[in-house]
Amino acid sequence: MTMAKKRPKLIALDGGTGYHKATFDDPEIARHIDDLIYIRDFSDDDLVGAAGLIIPCRTPPEVIIPHAERILAFLNRGGLVVAMGDTGQEHWLPGISLEPVETNFWWWLEPGADLGLEIAAPDHDLFADLGKDDVSWHLHGLFDVPKGARSLIDYRDGRSVLYEDTRNYKGRLVVTSLDPMYHHGAYFMPATTRFLRGFIPWVRRSLDQQI
């Protein structure tokens, strides 16, 4: 008898905020995540058997930095790390070049409004369920894409708000300046809900495809 292979383990860190709790309590998101770990309790033991790690947006960098070596070691063992927006990734991951930008919260009120984001890789399977409207709410920062990495969502000046790097680490890094968990968990900005309900299942699928 052939035994079914166990699905790769996906864990997420919990920053301890109300919007993180609301996000991870959403059944459309929770069903894709195997374990939820409070970030201040995060240890090497939590990564045993794990294939993917999500670091949620708007987690203060100062609580992530103590785990920087642990996260990088996991990435370089072949793990997937998803580094969400407003977490100061440049302070706890090497090779990250991020320029914070002034946020225009009201751009959509302007005539002919366009935030300036474009799907940079429409053939990528992330966009099977996501389009431009689902990634456009506002901007907090722009990345210079490292050599060998691939931008998936570009700003009009050619810099990125979400890219995937499979070349500079033994594992895979997905890094974004978007902050959907904050807005979804605070119950406003419908685009962020649509984004998460496409993005988190894609993270899950991308791990399952490794079986």
Side-chain angles (χ1 to χ4, degrees):
M1 185 175 77
T2 302
M3 294 185 64
K5 292 185 178 179
K6 189 175 181 180
R7 79 174 189 173
K9 184 179 178 182
L10 175 60
I11 69 174
L13 300 183
D14 177 1
T17 68
Y19 50 84
H20 288 154
K21 176 173 172 52
T23 295
F24 293 125
D25 280 350
D26 181 340
E28 294 297 315
I29 293 168
R31 63 192 179 93
H32 300 290
I33 296 170
D34 299 301
D35 280 320
L36 188 62
I37 310 296
Y38 179 49
I39 192 166
R40 295 183 188 274
D41 296 333
F42 184 38
S43 71
D44 288 338
D45 289 344
D46 296 314
L47 291 170
V48 173
L53 170 66
I54 298 173
I55 297 140
C57 51
R58 295 212 187 186
T59 302
E62 58 266 27
V63 300
I64 305 174
I65 289 170
H67 305 294
E69 290 185 9
R70 177 174 297 116
I71 293 167
L72 183 60
F74 174 72
L75 184 58
N76 278 325
R77 288 198 300 272
L80 163 65
V81 171
V82 179
M84 305 293 288
D86 249 10
T87 56
Q89 298 104 323
E90 70 276 20
H91 299 297
W92 47 272
L93 281 172
I96 303 290
S97 176
L98 172 66
E99 179 187 352
V101 296
E102 185 176 353
T103 301
N104 178 359
F105 294 99
W106 305 109
W107 62 273
W108 50 275
L109 294 176
E110 300 169 4
D114 189 326
L115 185 58
L117 296 182
E118 298 292 342
I119 304 301
D123 60 323
H124 195 281
D125 57 357
L126 172 60
F127 303 111
D129 299 310
L130 292 174
K132 178 176 176 176
D133 289 346
D134 305 318
V135 305
S136 300
W137 52 93
H138 55 238
L139 297 173
H140 288 284
L142 302 172
F143 295 101
D144 293 318
V145 180
K147 186 176 180 180
R150 183 186 189 190
S151 179
L152 304 185
I153 306 173
D154 275 351
Y155 186 56
R156 61 168 62 99
D157 69 359
R159 288 182 290 176
S160 181
V161 299
L162 191 153
Y163 69 85
E164 183 176 46
D165 191 342
T166 60
R167 298 288 298 277
N168 294 299
Y169 310 93
K170 291 182 180 177
R172 180 163 59 107
L173 173 66
V174 177
V175 60
T176 184
S177 60
L178 300 177
D179 61 345
M181 293 176 177
Y182 171 75
H183 297 288
H184 174 74
Y187 304 103
F188 71 103
M189 291 194 183
T192 62
T193 297
R194 297 195 307 269
F195 177 84
L196 283 175
R197 289 179 177 175
F199 181 75
I200 298 299
W202 167 74
V203 173
R204 173 79 266 166
R205 289 195 308 273
S206 72
L207 288 179
D208 292 345
Q209 288 166 2
Q210 297 176 10
I211 296 177

